[in-house]
Amino acid sequence: MSGLQGKVVLITGASSGIGEACARAFAAEGARLILAARRTEKLDALARELSDQGGTAAHVVSLDVQQAGAVEAAIAALPAEWAAIDVLVNNAGLSRGLDKVHEGKPSDWDEMLDTNVKGLLFVTRFVVPGMVERGRGHVISLGSTAGDMTYPGGAVYCATKAAEHAINDGLRQDLLGTPVRVTSVDPGMVETDFSKIRFRGDEERAAKVYANLTPLKPEDVADAIVWAACRPVHVNIARISLTSIDQANSLLFNRKS
Ligand code: 8X3
């Protein structure tokens, strides 16, 4: 028993990739899941599957993290049995384009900044007060190795992940003196729809990102997240940085040809 049995875990961006892997990993630990994403069809299917397979209780919420008012209303509207969130996994995030700053699209910047920075802030803002009130809670946010080292064409995405580091560190300082823990989990390259979304469905270009190397799998990241959540309550894991064995940093890869 990991201590997550019966705990309420809210996962944003839970419909695919790292979010979906987190749902499966927390379900395996006996947690109860609030699955949030903009579109709920995939969440409904995931909730049904987890319930049928392992009896996991899951509550599906349609959530656009970019809208402060909608986030506040969605958290306030949680049914009583789901309102006491123990673990928040701030996973919703995306990249758009790989353009030089002086050639980039402001609409892409809006989307990345609104989701990865403001979305992270909005969900945290409206979930953490309850954690402080209840005297328990853990905020785990998805950072990235991109927040430590910028790569060409990635200035804005990398800036959002550098911002996540600053927010994660600031939140930990703001919550000092409360039992609420704050963790950033920072993966390198993970094989998800990340690159397909970045390149707006250009599968050939996306596939090249992962060509001739072994990237992390979403399950590897979920494993690190669950590990951080399972530490004794007096232990705060500030940050976990993880890459596959074929990646040393944002710019250095071991491609086999
Ligand atoms: C994802 C890592 O290097 O593909 O955040 O941008 S990277």
Side-chain angles (χ1 to χ4, degrees):
M1 176 131 355
S2 70
L4 287 168
Q5 186 73 35
K7 291 279 161 53
V8 176
V9 181
L10 166 58
I11 304 166
T12 66
S15 54
S16 63
I18 294 169
E20 180 183 346
C22 284
R24 294 179 190 285
F26 278 104
E29 298 295 328
R32 299 163 60 218
L33 308 177
I34 304 174
L35 304 174
R38 260 188 297 198
R39 281 184 303 274
T40 55
E41 312 88 68
K42 280 189 182 170
L43 297 181
D44 288 332
L46 179 60
R48 265 196 309 276
E49 184 197 321
L50 294 174
S51 164
D52 291 350
Q53 279 178 4
T56 300
H59 179 68
V60 168
V61 174
S62 166
L63 187 69
D64 180 357
V65 300
Q66 301 181 31
Q67 309 297 330
V71 174
E72 182 174 20
I75 301 301
L78 285 172
E81 66 272 29
W82 290 101
I85 298 164
D86 295 291
V87 181
L88 164 61
V89 181
N90 273 319
N91 165 68
L94 82 172
S95 69
R96 284 295 195 193
L98 196 60
D99 300 315
K100 298 176 194 290
V101 172
H102 60 286
E103 295 167 358
K105 295 182 194 65
S107 58
D108 285 347
W109 303 346
D110 280 340
E111 208 176 344
M112 289 187 275
L113 290 161
D114 286 350
T115 309
N116 304 5
V117 182
K118 289 167 74 179
L120 164 70
L121 283 168
F122 295 153
V123 180
T124 302
R125 171 63 183 87
F126 296 114
V127 169
V128 169
M131 292 179 166
V132 173
E133 214 174 282
R134 291 185 293 275
R136 63 172 202 275
H138 194 166
V139 180
I140 305 177
S141 302
L142 266 295
S144 170
T145 52
D148 291 317
M149 185 186 275
T150 305
Y151 49 81
V156 178
Y157 175 73
C158 295
T160 68
K161 291 301 178 179
E164 184 276 341
H165 286 162
I167 293 164
N168 183 63
D169 289 345
L171 182 66
R172 194 176 323 98
Q173 294 171 40
D174 293 343
L175 287 169
L176 189 65
T178 79
V180 180
R181 301 187 288 174
V182 182
T183 301
S184 179
V185 174
D186 304 349
M189 195 179 272
V190 187
E191 191 158 21
T192 62
D193 284 345
F194 178 86
S195 294
K196 275 186 217 156
I197 291 167
R198 165 169 265 173
F199 300 129
R200 294 185 184 278
D202 184 339
E203 304 223 355
E204 204 177 318
R205 194 172 175 201
K208 281 193 189 134
V209 175
Y210 310 108
N212 304 318
L213 55 70
T214 303
L216 290 174
K217 299 192 288 290
E219 293 75 20
D220 301 321
V221 185
D223 186 45
I225 290 170
V226 168
W227 180 83
C230 288
R231 293 313 87 210
V233 292
H234 69 286
V235 177
N236 189 91
I237 304 297
R239 224 205 251 194
I240 298 173
S241 176
L242 67 157
T243 62
S244 90
I245 196 68
D246 283 339
Q247 179 175 12
N249 58 37
S250 283
L251 293 167
L252 198 55
F253 300 95
N254 175 47
R255 294 199 195 265
K256 269 116 191 152
S257 67

